[in-house]
Structures are given as C-alpha cells and as structure tokens.
Amino acid sequence: MTSYWDAHHETMSRDQLAEIQTKRLKTLVERVYTSVPFYRQAFQEKGITPGDIKSLEDLKSLPFTTKKDLRDTYPFGLFAVPRSEIVRMHASSGTTGKPIVVGYTKKDLDTWSDLVARCFSMAGGTKEDVVQNAYGYGLFTGGLGIHYGAERLGATIVPISGGNTARQIMLMQDFQTSILTCTPSYALYLADEIHAAGVDLGTLHLKVGIFGAEPWSNNMRRQLEEKLGIRAHDIYGLSEVLGPGVAMECPCQNGLHVFEDHFIPEIIDPVTEQPLPYGEKGELVFTTLTKEGFPVIRYRTKDISTLYPEVCECGRTHLRMERITGRTDDMLIIRGVNVFPSQIESVLLEFGETEPHYLLVVDRKASLDDLEIQVELSANMFSDKIAGLEVLERRLRERILSVLGISAKIKLVEPKSLPRSEGKAKRVIDRREL
Ligand SMILES: [Zn+2]
C-alpha cells in the first residue's frame, strides 16, 4: 500500500531528525542574516544574531514572517540569492493588488520534485501509474509542482490542467488513468459528471486521488472515495513555503506527515503568538530548512491545524498534522461564535439526502447576524413530497444548532443549481458590512 521514497529520512529516529534540523536551522539563520536585509533588520529589532540560535528550542526567539511582509517586499525582496540564480518563479493569485512572488533555484526545484515523489509513493504510486493532473498549470504552484514530482516518480503524467470536464473523462478512460490529482471540489464535480455521463466505474482504472489546495472534511473524503472508487489522500502545501509537498497523508489516513527534514512546523495561538504544545489546535507556522531561493523563517500560514507526535502505524517518524480544519481568515464570526465552513460541510454530509454542494450566505439584519445555508438535495430526494423536505430542513437545522451552537436558516435547492467550481470552491458569501 505504501512504500518509502526516502526510507532513511522518512523513518529516522526523532533524535537523528533533531540533529539534522538543528544543523540546517543554524545554516539557514546565518544565510538569511547575511543575504536578506529584511531578516537582518527583523533579527536586529529583536536583539538577536545568528550565533544566538544554538538549538531547536531557540527557534521561538526568531521573528515571524507574514503575508504582509511578502507583499511589502514585492517582488524579490525576500530572495536569498541573486535573481540570476532563480530558475523559476511562481506567484499567488492575489485578489487585490500585487501577488506574492516566490522563486526557486535549480536545487530547490530538485528538492521539490523529490518531495512530491515522496507524496506519490506514500499514496501507493509507482512508475506503473498514469497520473491525470487536473490542477491548474501556470503561476499557481499546484500544477507544475505535482507535474515534476510525478515525473520524478517515473509515472506517466497527463498534464491536462483544470477544466474541460468531458475531455477529462474521455482521457481518463482512454489512458487508463490510475491517479487523479486536483482540488477536492473539482474531484467532486468530475465524479458527478462521470455518473451523469453514465460511465461505469468498473471500466475506469482509478485507484487513488491526491487532493489539496483547499480545506476538506473526512465526510467529503468518504463521498469522493465512494463516488470514484478510490482511496483519497490529502496533500498539503503552500507557495510561500514550497507548494504542494510540505505534508502528505499516508494510507493510515490519520493526519498528514510533515516532511521535517525540510520544514519545521509549529502551532501557535494566533492572538498571543505563543507556541502551543502538541495536541492543541492553532495556527500552523513553518520554517523552511533547505530552500535556497526563497527561505522563510516562521511563516504564519493562517491555516488551522494540530500537530501529533506519536509514531504512525506506517512506520514514519515525522510529525502528523491534522488536516486543515479552516483558516484564521475564512473563519466566520456569526453572532460571536467562531464558525468554519468545513464544520458545516461535515454536518451536511452526515445527511444522505443532501449533496456536498453548498453555499453559506451571511447577512446582518436589524444588527443581528443571519446565516443561511443553501444546500443541494440529492436527485432521488428532489422528487420527494414537500412534507419530507420540511422534516429534512428541521433535522438539518437542529443538527447545525447542536454542533455549532448557532441557528441557521436551511434552504434546500434543486440538484445542480449551485455554481460549480473548476478550481477552488467559493463557499461563502458574506454580505455584512462590518
Ligand atoms: Zn503514517
């Protein structure tokens, strides 16, 4: 089921790992202090020099890096090598203003491919596989990151990119695709289209899905596994830290192993900025240990997770992070209660009568927050009697109230009536003027 791409690093003792991390951390700190004025100044403001960093314990004295720092130093201010050493750039799709730019040296691309190959291997991928890569190609790290990792593995990559669903299904059949890579929301859309086209799952060769770039729940996993006849793995990464391949779920499907020989993860309290112990939920923070072009020190991801230190049944010693349950910046505060769209998704998927296509509409009426959950009925339920729908609405409302502690209006809508996404799904419309 699983095989180690790099058994030495994936299964080394925690002591050996700490030794590697300490050595790499010291080198990193020395390097950014010398070559990145931003970091030199940030260190000086905290009154520290590279010589003060002697152990992993000292990590917590280092300054954080935020998305704002990346914007303020646009485009190349945080690069730690001359521009001529950079062989590729990627950029985030900034919704407003300038994007976030990241650069890779030749060695960085080599490391990245190797880590993504590690991910494929962890999910059971081999050179025998045909990988259909429906992540978008371009400035987004998803497409090319997965692409070169699959090549490094030796698999056959089909660089189809996102969209064009009819063609996706045709090639999936004709090329005998065995591994599908894309966002979970697009996978769900594809699955529905495959069923709508009357394709018999038995004629497909799909066995594994590697899905990431947006938070998704375990209930969503079950749906995808059932609808596509696959095992669905979560992959984690972000451009600022590397791209896909920072962490990956093993077949135990019990958290994602963070590749600690290359990254040090921390969980902090997003308000006090203090590190939290293993097992506690908070904001994920990463320090890159081996990147040359664009290293980051304690980068605040805004992703919410928990770290678990227990050795996994798969034999890997690297920490596991809980799959992302939300982001500090898409957390909704509704009538004073913290609500993550993924929690609502999880509740909706407990009910067989609805589909995992939903939209949350938040509004403020007479200074009171109002949450409406629009969710699609499954096709067989749609023809049901009005009375049945009223009962379902009530059950959903009660379940949301007991899980989230807030009341919501439930609006059941026709199958396939909510907008579909070929990239990251849009799940929230917030009409409040805060
Ligand atoms: Zn494992």
Side-chain angles (χ1 to χ4, degrees):
M1 285 288 255
T2 188
S3 62
Y4 306 124
W5 177 252
D6 181 351
H8 172 66
H9 287 104
E10 290 177 69
T11 63
M12 66 178 20
S13 74
R14 298 293 306 168
D15 285 347
Q16 279 176 296
L17 199 52
E19 203 176 303
I20 289 188
Q21 289 185 320
T22 310
K23 193 167 146 242
R24 290 180 170 175
L25 178 65
K26 285 185 193 166
T27 313
L28 166 79
V29 166
E30 187 70 54
R31 212 158 55 79
V32 297
Y33 190 84
T34 337
S35 50
V36 187
F38 168 85
Y39 282 118
R40 187 161 53 243
Q41 195 188 333
F43 282 30
Q44 282 165 353
E45 277 167 17
K46 295 204 111 196
I48 45 176
T49 62
D52 296 328
I53 306 304
K54 298 188 178 74
S55 71
L56 294 176
E57 231 352 73
D58 298 325
L59 180 69
K60 60 178 187 294
S61 63
L62 292 173
F64 290 105
T65 313
T66 63
K67 193 163 242 183
K68 182 177 181 298
D69 297 327
L70 271 61
R71 283 212 184 90
D72 292 348
T73 52
Y74 176 86
F76 310 141
L78 290 186
F79 286 12
V81 298
R83 215 272 310 129
S84 57
E85 295 301 309
I86 297 289
V87 295
R88 196 197 302 162
M89 289 201 258
H90 280 285
S92 75
S93 46
T95 40
T96 51
K98 302 285 192 187
I100 290 209
V101 183
V102 294
Y104 302 78
T105 64
K106 266 199 174 118
K107 180 162 168 281
D108 290 335
L109 291 184
D110 191 58
T111 307
W112 190 11
S113 302
D114 212 58
L115 290 181
V116 175
R118 201 188 271 191
C119 296
F120 274 106
S121 202
M122 203 181 280
T126 69
K127 69 186 290 291
E128 304 303 324
D129 282 298
V130 175
V131 177
Q132 185 157 332
N133 187 17
Y135 280 110
Y137 278 65
L139 286 171
F140 169 55
T141 46
L144 289 173
I146 292 290
H147 181 101
Y148 287 104
E151 280 191 1
R152 176 65 57 90
L153 178 75
T156 308
I157 181 93
V158 183
I160 188 165
S161 198
N164 205 339
T165 305
R167 171 175 284 201
Q168 298 269 4
I169 297 171
M170 180 184 79
L171 297 190
M172 197 175 276
Q173 292 174 296
D174 296 349
F175 294 176
Q176 306 193 340
T177 299
S178 54
I179 300 182
L180 172 67
T181 53
C182 58
T183 59
S185 52
Y186 187 58
L188 187 65
Y189 177 66
L190 254 175
D192 289 344
E193 293 298 303
I194 287 170
H195 287 271
V199 175
D200 175 6
L201 272 188
T203 64
L204 296 178
H205 289 71
L206 282 180
K207 60 171 196 185
V208 164
I210 296 180
F211 306 130
E214 58 187 21
W216 48 305
S217 62
N218 273 324
N219 280 326
M220 174 85 139
R221 183 215 301 283
R222 276 191 284 279
Q223 292 259 342
L224 286 168
E225 292 190 331
E226 211 175 279
K227 288 187 174 187
L228 289 168
I230 55 169
R231 201 176 60 239
H233 289 254
D234 197 354
I235 187 170
Y236 177 79
L238 65 171
S239 306
E240 299 92 318
V241 176
L242 178 77
V246 174
M248 176 73 189
E249 205 171 47
C250 71
C252 303
Q253 294 183 321
N254 186 25
L256 293 81
H257 291 285
V258 178
F259 298 145
E260 286 183 278
D261 45 336
H262 294 273
F263 311 99
I264 303 181
E266 296 174 85
I267 294 286
I268 63 161
D269 178 317
V271 180
T272 67
E273 300 189 334
Q274 289 307 306
L276 295 173
Y278 292 147
E280 282 191 33
K281 188 182 279 242
E283 181 181 345
L284 254 179
V285 168
F286 284 102
T287 298
T288 62
L289 291 174
T290 51
K291 276 173 77 193
E292 295 182 333
F294 189 85
V296 284
I297 304 268
R298 304 190 82 197
Y299 182 71
R300 294 187 57 168
T301 64
K302 296 192 174 178
D303 285 330
I304 292 167
S305 181
T306 308
L307 292 173
Y308 299 102
E310 297 81 15
V311 173
C312 184
E313 277 174 42
C314 75
R316 289 179 180 85
T317 49
H318 294 189
L319 291 177
R320 281 167 299 124
M321 57 177 258
E322 188 179 40
R323 54 205 326 214
I324 302 299
T325 49
R327 287 179 50 79
T328 56
D329 55 0
D330 64 23
M331 181 178 80
L332 291 161
I333 303 178
I334 299 173
R335 277 167 253 145
V337 178
N338 297 350
V339 175
F340 291 103
S342 56
Q343 292 175 296
I344 295 176
E345 174 183 299
S346 200
V347 170
L348 296 177
L349 289 174
E350 290 172 12
F351 290 77
E353 298 95 330
T354 55
E355 293 289 314
H357 296 290
Y358 63 93
L359 186 66
L360 312 178
V361 185
V362 194
D363 210 342
R364 181 165 286 179
K365 285 167 190 157
S367 76
L368 201 65
D369 295 338
D370 183 74
L371 170 66
E372 179 180 272
I373 302 173
Q374 301 182 4
V375 58
E376 285 185 11
L377 283 165
S378 59
N380 55 338
M381 194 62 199
F382 184 60
S383 52
D384 209 350
K385 295 186 195 71
I386 299 288
L389 298 182
E390 281 172 355
V391 171
L392 176 61
E393 259 183 35
R394 200 190 64 230
R395 283 170 54 222
L396 278 164
R397 206 165 51 231
E398 287 171 357
R399 185 76 186 130
I400 291 283
L401 181 62
S402 81
V403 173
L404 293 143
I406 53 163
S407 55
K409 199 160 96 196
I410 307 291
K411 186 175 173 190
L412 300 169
V413 300
E414 286 178 41
K416 296 187 187 300
S417 62
L418 292 176
R420 296 299 196 255
S421 150
E422 294 190 344
K424 296 192 189 196
K426 182 161 176 60
R427 304 289 200 194
V428 180
I429 295 176
D430 196 339
R431 297 203 180 109
R432 293 175 294 182
E433 287 180 22
L434 298 174

mmCIF file with all atom_site columns, all heavy atoms in Angstrom, residues 408-425:
data_model
loop_
_atom_site.group_PDB
_atom_site.id
_atom_site.type_symbol
_atom_site.label_atom_id
_atom_site.label_alt_id
_atom_site.label_comp_id
_atom_site.label_asym_id
_atom_site.label_entity_id
_atom_site.label_seq_id
_atom_site.pdbx_PDB_ins_code
_atom_site.Cartn_x
_atom_site.Cartn_y
_atom_site.Cartn_z
_atom_site.occupancy
_atom_site.B_iso_or_equiv
_atom_site.pdbx_formal_charge
_atom_site.auth_seq_id
_atom_site.auth_comp_id
_atom_site.auth_asym_id
_atom_site.auth_atom_id
_atom_site.pdbx_PDB_model_num
ATOM 1   N N   . ALA A 1 408 ? -29.409 28.421 12.107  1.00 0.00 ? 408 ALA A N   1
ATOM 2   C CA  . ALA A 1 408 ? -29.215 28.823 10.717  1.00 0.00 ? 408 ALA A CA  1
ATOM 3   C C   . ALA A 1 408 ? -30.497 28.535 9.952   1.00 0.00 ? 408 ALA A C   1
ATOM 4   O O   . ALA A 1 408 ? -31.276 27.669 10.337  1.00 0.00 ? 408 ALA A O   1
ATOM 5   C CB  . ALA A 1 408 ? -28.062 28.042 10.110  1.00 0.00 ? 408 ALA A CB  1
ATOM 6   N N   . LYS A 1 409 ? -30.689 29.294 8.891   1.00 0.00 ? 409 LYS A N   1
ATOM 7   C CA  . LYS A 1 409 ? -31.822 29.016 8.021   1.00 0.00 ? 409 LYS A CA  1
ATOM 8   C C   . LYS A 1 409 ? -31.335 28.019 6.975   1.00 0.00 ? 409 LYS A C   1
ATOM 9   O O   . LYS A 1 409 ? -30.271 28.211 6.389   1.00 0.00 ? 409 LYS A O   1
ATOM 10  C CB  . LYS A 1 409 ? -32.260 30.326 7.364   1.00 0.00 ? 409 LYS A CB  1
ATOM 11  C CG  . LYS A 1 409 ? -33.660 30.279 6.804   1.00 0.00 ? 409 LYS A CG  1
ATOM 12  C CD  . LYS A 1 409 ? -34.199 31.695 6.629   1.00 0.00 ? 409 LYS A CD  1
ATOM 13  C CE  . LYS A 1 409 ? -33.977 32.149 5.195   1.00 0.00 ? 409 LYS A CE  1
ATOM 14  N NZ  . LYS A 1 409 ? -34.104 33.576 5.007   1.00 0.00 ? 409 LYS A NZ  1
ATOM 15  N N   . ILE A 1 410 ? -32.102 26.972 6.751   1.00 0.00 ? 410 ILE A N   1
ATOM 16  C CA  . ILE A 1 410 ? -31.698 25.979 5.753   1.00 0.00 ? 410 ILE A CA  1
ATOM 17  C C   . ILE A 1 410 ? -32.533 26.196 4.495   1.00 0.00 ? 410 ILE A C   1
ATOM 18  O O   . ILE A 1 410 ? -33.764 26.288 4.570   1.00 0.00 ? 410 ILE A O   1
ATOM 19  C CB  . ILE A 1 410 ? -31.949 24.538 6.259   1.00 0.00 ? 410 ILE A CB  1
ATOM 20  C CG1 . ILE A 1 410 ? -31.301 24.306 7.637   1.00 0.00 ? 410 ILE A CG1 1
ATOM 21  C CG2 . ILE A 1 410 ? -31.468 23.517 5.227   1.00 0.00 ? 410 ILE A CG2 1
ATOM 22  C CD1 . ILE A 1 410 ? -29.802 24.270 7.647   1.00 0.00 ? 410 ILE A CD1 1
ATOM 23  N N   . LYS A 1 411 ? -31.864 26.294 3.362   1.00 0.00 ? 411 LYS A N   1
ATOM 24  C CA  . LYS A 1 411 ? -32.606 26.422 2.111   1.00 0.00 ? 411 LYS A CA  1
ATOM 25  C C   . LYS A 1 411 ? -32.201 25.254 1.211   1.00 0.00 ? 411 LYS A C   1
ATOM 26  O O   . LYS A 1 411 ? -31.060 25.190 0.745   1.00 0.00 ? 411 LYS A O   1
ATOM 27  C CB  . LYS A 1 411 ? -32.257 27.761 1.453   1.00 0.00 ? 411 LYS A CB  1
ATOM 28  C CG  . LYS A 1 411 ? -33.070 28.054 0.221   1.00 0.00 ? 411 LYS A CG  1
ATOM 29  C CD  . LYS A 1 411 ? -32.745 29.446 -0.302  1.00 0.00 ? 411 LYS A CD  1
ATOM 30  C CE  . LYS A 1 411 ? -33.416 29.715 -1.626  1.00 0.00 ? 411 LYS A CE  1
ATOM 31  N NZ  . LYS A 1 411 ? -32.904 30.952 -2.233  1.00 0.00 ? 411 LYS A NZ  1
ATOM 32  N N   . LEU A 1 412 ? -33.131 24.338 1.019   1.00 0.00 ? 412 LEU A N   1
ATOM 33  C CA  . LEU A 1 412 ? -32.845 23.189 0.155   1.00 0.00 ? 412 LEU A CA  1
ATOM 34  C C   . LEU A 1 412 ? -33.059 23.619 -1.286  1.00 0.00 ? 412 LEU A C   1
ATOM 35  O O   . LEU A 1 412 ? -34.088 24.210 -1.618  1.00 0.00 ? 412 LEU A O   1
ATOM 36  C CB  . LEU A 1 412 ? -33.782 22.030 0.516   1.00 0.00 ? 412 LEU A CB  1
ATOM 37  C CG  . LEU A 1 412 ? -33.672 21.534 1.965   1.00 0.00 ? 412 LEU A CG  1
ATOM 38  C CD1 . LEU A 1 412 ? -34.810 20.586 2.303   1.00 0.00 ? 412 LEU A CD1 1
ATOM 39  C CD2 . LEU A 1 412 ? -32.335 20.840 2.187   1.00 0.00 ? 412 LEU A CD2 1
ATOM 40  N N   . VAL A 1 413 ? -32.078 23.368 -2.126  1.00 0.00 ? 413 VAL A N   1
ATOM 41  C CA  . VAL A 1 413 ? -32.215 23.793 -3.521  1.00 0.00 ? 413 VAL A CA  1
ATOM 42  C C   . VAL A 1 413 ? -32.129 22.592 -4.454  1.00 0.00 ? 413 VAL A C   1
ATOM 43  O O   . VAL A 1 413 ? -31.715 21.508 -4.047  1.00 0.00 ? 413 VAL A O   1
ATOM 44  C CB  . VAL A 1 413 ? -31.155 24.874 -3.890  1.00 0.00 ? 413 VAL A CB  1
ATOM 45  C CG1 . VAL A 1 413 ? -31.307 26.103 -3.022  1.00 0.00 ? 413 VAL A CG1 1
ATOM 46  C CG2 . VAL A 1 413 ? -29.741 24.320 -3.783  1.00 0.00 ? 413 VAL A CG2 1
ATOM 47  N N   . GLU A 1 414 ? -32.522 22.799 -5.690  1.00 0.00 ? 414 GLU A N   1
ATOM 48  C CA  . GLU A 1 414 ? -32.536 21.712 -6.677  1.00 0.00 ? 414 GLU A CA  1
ATOM 49  C C   . GLU A 1 414 ? -31.149 21.158 -6.919  1.00 0.00 ? 414 GLU A C   1
ATOM 50  O O   . GLU A 1 414 ? -30.171 21.891 -6.849  1.00 0.00 ? 414 GLU A O   1
ATOM 51  C CB  . GLU A 1 414 ? -33.033 22.257 -8.032  1.00 0.00 ? 414 GLU A CB  1
ATOM 52  C CG  . GLU A 1 414 ? -34.491 22.523 -8.102  1.00 0.00 ? 414 GLU A CG  1
ATOM 53  C CD  . GLU A 1 414 ? -34.849 23.097 -9.478  1.00 0.00 ? 414 GLU A CD  1
ATOM 54  O OE1 . GLU A 1 414 ? -34.305 22.603 -10.490 1.00 0.00 ? 414 GLU A OE1 1
ATOM 55  O OE2 . GLU A 1 414 ? -35.662 24.037 -9.507  1.00 0.00 ? 414 GLU A OE2 1
ATOM 56  N N   . PRO A 1 415 ? -31.068 19.879 -7.288  1.00 0.00 ? 415 PRO A N   1
ATOM 57  C CA  . PRO A 1 415 ? -29.762 19.317 -7.649  1.00 0.00 ? 415 PRO A CA  1
ATOM 58  C C   . PRO A 1 415 ? -29.141 20.146 -8.783  1.00 0.00 ? 415 PRO A C   1
ATOM 59  O O   . PRO A 1 415 ? -29.852 20.606 -9.669  1.00 0.00 ? 415 PRO A O   1
ATOM 60  C CB  . PRO A 1 415 ? -30.094 17.904 -8.144  1.00 0.00 ? 415 PRO A CB  1
ATOM 61  C CG  . PRO A 1 415 ? -31.418 17.580 -7.527  1.00 0.00 ? 415 PRO A CG  1
ATOM 62  C CD  . PRO A 1 415 ? -32.145 18.867 -7.364  1.00 0.00 ? 415 PRO A CD  1
ATOM 63  N N   . LYS A 1 416 ? -27.841 20.346 -8.730  1.00 0.00 ? 416 LYS A N   1
ATOM 64  C CA  . LYS A 1 416 ? -27.056 21.043 -9.766  1.00 0.00 ? 416 LYS A CA  1
ATOM 65  C C   . LYS A 1 416 ? -27.420 22.512 -9.951  1.00 0.00 ? 416 LYS A C   1
ATOM 66  O O   . LYS A 1 416 ? -27.162 23.091 -11.000 1.00 0.00 ? 416 LYS A O   1
ATOM 67  C CB  . LYS A 1 416 ? -27.154 20.322 -11.116 1.00 0.00 ? 416 LYS A CB  1
ATOM 68  C CG  . LYS A 1 416 ? -26.560 18.925 -11.081 1.00 0.00 ? 416 LYS A CG  1
ATOM 69  C CD  . LYS A 1 416 ? -26.511 18.309 -12.467 1.00 0.00 ? 416 LYS A CD  1
ATOM 70  C CE  . LYS A 1 416 ? -26.086 16.853 -12.408 1.00 0.00 ? 416 LYS A CE  1
ATOM 71  N NZ  . LYS A 1 416 ? -24.763 16.658 -11.821 1.00 0.00 ? 416 LYS A NZ  1
ATOM 72  N N   . SER A 1 417 ? -28.057 23.131 -8.939  1.00 0.00 ? 417 SER A N   1
ATOM 73  C CA  . SER A 1 417 ? -28.429 24.535 -9.131  1.00 0.00 ? 417 SER A CA  1
ATOM 74  C C   . SER A 1 417 ? -27.383 25.510 -8.583  1.00 0.00 ? 417 SER A C   1
ATOM 75  O O   . SER A 1 417 ? -27.358 26.665 -8.964  1.00 0.00 ? 417 SER A O   1
ATOM 76  C CB  . SER A 1 417 ? -29.797 24.814 -8.509  1.00 0.00 ? 417 SER A CB  1
ATOM 77  O OG  . SER A 1 417 ? -29.751 24.575 -7.119  1.00 0.00 ? 417 SER A OG  1
ATOM 78  N N   . LEU A 1 418 ? -26.508 25.060 -7.708  1.00 0.00 ? 418 LEU A N   1
ATOM 79  C CA  . LEU A 1 418 ? -25.479 25.966 -7.188  1.00 0.00 ? 418 LEU A CA  1
ATOM 80  C C   . LEU A 1 418 ? -24.293 26.009 -8.146  1.00 0.00 ? 418 LEU A C   1
ATOM 81  O O   . LEU A 1 418 ? -24.026 25.029 -8.843  1.00 0.00 ? 418 LEU A O   1
ATOM 82  C CB  . LEU A 1 418 ? -25.015 25.507 -5.793  1.00 0.00 ? 418 LEU A CB  1
ATOM 83  C CG  . LEU A 1 418 ? -26.062 25.627 -4.669  1.00 0.00 ? 418 LEU A CG  1
ATOM 84  C CD1 . LEU A 1 418 ? -25.522 25.045 -3.371  1.00 0.00 ? 418 LEU A CD1 1
ATOM 85  C CD2 . LEU A 1 418 ? -26.499 27.070 -4.464  1.00 0.00 ? 418 LEU A CD2 1
ATOM 86  N N   . PRO A 1 419 ? -23.586 27.153 -8.197  1.00 0.00 ? 419 PRO A N   1
ATOM 87  C CA  . PRO A 1 419 ? -22.472 27.257 -9.138  1.00 0.00 ? 419 PRO A CA  1
ATOM 88  C C   . PRO A 1 419 ? -21.386 26.228 -8.839  1.00 0.00 ? 419 PRO A C   1
ATOM 89  O O   . PRO A 1 419 ? -21.091 25.941 -7.683  1.00 0.00 ? 419 PRO A O   1
ATOM 90  C CB  . PRO A 1 419 ? -21.943 28.678 -8.927  1.00 0.00 ? 419 PRO A CB  1
ATOM 91  C CG  . PRO A 1 419 ? -22.590 29.189 -7.691  1.00 0.00 ? 419 PRO A CG  1
ATOM 92  C CD  . PRO A 1 419 ? -23.787 28.372 -7.416  1.00 0.00 ? 419 PRO A CD  1
ATOM 93  N N   . ARG A 1 420 ? -20.821 25.646 -9.903  1.00 0.00 ? 420 ARG A N   1
ATOM 94  C CA  . ARG A 1 420 ? -19.748 24.660 -9.761  1.00 0.00 ? 420 ARG A CA  1
ATOM 95  C C   . ARG A 1 420 ? -18.417 25.346 -9.964  1.00 0.00 ? 420 ARG A C   1
ATOM 96  O O   . ARG A 1 420 ? -18.317 26.338 -10.680 1.00 0.00 ? 420 ARG A O   1
ATOM 97  C CB  . ARG A 1 420 ? -19.890 23.557 -10.820 1.00 0.00 ? 420 ARG A CB  1
ATOM 98  C CG  . ARG A 1 420 ? -21.150 22.733 -10.682 1.00 0.00 ? 420 ARG A CG  1
ATOM 99  C CD  . ARG A 1 420 ? -21.167 22.030 -9.341  1.00 0.00 ? 420 ARG A CD  1
ATOM 100 N NE  . ARG A 1 420 ? -22.145 20.946 -9.295  1.00 0.00 ? 420 ARG A NE  1
ATOM 101 C CZ  . ARG A 1 420 ? -23.312 21.007 -8.669  1.00 0.00 ? 420 ARG A CZ  1
ATOM 102 N NH1 . ARG A 1 420 ? -23.674 22.110 -8.044  1.00 0.00 ? 420 ARG A NH1 1
ATOM 103 N NH2 . ARG A 1 420 ? -24.116 19.963 -8.664  1.00 0.00 ? 420 ARG A NH2 1
ATOM 104 N N   . SER A 1 421 ? -17.387 24.781 -9.356  1.00 0.00 ? 421 SER A N   1
ATOM 105 C CA  . SER A 1 421 ? -16.069 25.386 -9.464  1.00 0.00 ? 421 SER A CA  1
ATOM 106 C C   . SER A 1 421 ? -15.110 24.413 -10.131 1.00 0.00 ? 421 SER A C   1
ATOM 107 O O   . SER A 1 421 ? -15.155 23.222 -9.878  1.00 0.00 ? 421 SER A O   1
ATOM 108 C CB  . SER A 1 421 ? -15.565 25.733 -8.072  1.00 0.00 ? 421 SER A CB  1
ATOM 109 O OG  . SER A 1 421 ? -14.177 25.659 -8.033  1.00 0.00 ? 421 SER A OG  1
ATOM 110 N N   . GLU A 1 422 ? -14.252 24.947 -10.985 1.00 0.00 ? 422 GLU A N   1
ATOM 111 C CA  . GLU A 1 422 ? -13.218 24.096 -11.581 1.00 0.00 ? 422 GLU A CA  1
ATOM 112 C C   . GLU A 1 422 ? -11.886 24.358 -10.905 1.00 0.00 ? 422 GLU A C   1
ATOM 113 O O   . GLU A 1 422 ? -10.856 23.883 -11.330 1.00 0.00 ? 422 GLU A O   1
ATOM 114 C CB  . GLU A 1 422 ? -13.148 24.325 -13.090 1.00 0.00 ? 422 GLU A CB  1
ATOM 115 C CG  . GLU A 1 422 ? -14.433 23.865 -13.757 1.00 0.00 ? 422 GLU A CG  1
ATOM 116 C CD  . GLU A 1 422 ? -14.356 23.826 -15.267 1.00 0.00 ? 422 GLU A CD  1
ATOM 117 O OE1 . GLU A 1 422 ? -13.434 24.440 -15.825 1.00 0.00 ? 422 GLU A OE1 1
ATOM 118 O OE2 . GLU A 1 422 ? -15.219 23.181 -15.872 1.00 0.00 ? 422 GLU A OE2 1
ATOM 119 N N   . GLY A 1 423 ? -11.895 25.156 -9.875  1.00 0.00 ? 423 GLY A N   1
ATOM 120 C CA  . GLY A 1 423 ? -10.679 25.381 -9.093  1.00 0.00 ? 423 GLY A CA  1
ATOM 121 C C   . GLY A 1 423 ? -11.062 25.311 -7.639  1.00 0.00 ? 423 GLY A C   1
ATOM 122 O O   . GLY A 1 423 ? -11.677 24.356 -7.199  1.00 0.00 ? 423 GLY A O   1
ATOM 123 N N   . LYS A 1 424 ? -10.715 26.348 -6.911  1.00 0.00 ? 424 LYS A N   1
ATOM 124 C CA  . LYS A 1 424 ? -11.106 26.379 -5.513  1.00 0.00 ? 424 LYS A CA  1
ATOM 125 C C   . LYS A 1 424 ? -12.571 26.790 -5.419  1.00 0.00 ? 424 LYS A C   1
ATOM 126 O O   . LYS A 1 424 ? -13.008 27.728 -6.066  1.00 0.00 ? 424 LYS A O   1
ATOM 127 C CB  . LYS A 1 424 ? -10.243 27.389 -4.750  1.00 0.00 ? 424 LYS A CB  1
ATOM 128 C CG  . LYS A 1 424 ? -8.774  27.010 -4.719  1.00 0.00 ? 424 LYS A CG  1
ATOM 129 C CD  . LYS A 1 424 ? -8.021  27.864 -3.730  1.00 0.00 ? 424 LYS A CD  1
ATOM 130 C CE  . LYS A 1 424 ? -6.525  27.634 -3.872  1.00 0.00 ? 424 LYS A CE  1
ATOM 131 N NZ  . LYS A 1 424 ? -5.781  28.136 -2.727  1.00 0.00 ? 424 LYS A NZ  1
ATOM 132 N N   . ALA A 1 425 ? -13.317 26.070 -4.592  1.00 0.00 ? 425 ALA A N   1
ATOM 133 C CA  . ALA A 1 425 ? -14.750 26.339 -4.488  1.00 0.00 ? 425 ALA A CA  1
ATOM 134 C C   . ALA A 1 425 ? -15.021 27.613 -3.699  1.00 0.00 ? 425 ALA A C   1
ATOM 135 O O   . ALA A 1 425 ? -14.341 27.912 -2.742  1.00 0.00 ? 425 ALA A O   1
ATOM 136 C CB  . ALA A 1 425 ? -15.420 25.161 -3.804  1.00 0.00 ? 425 ALA A CB  1
#
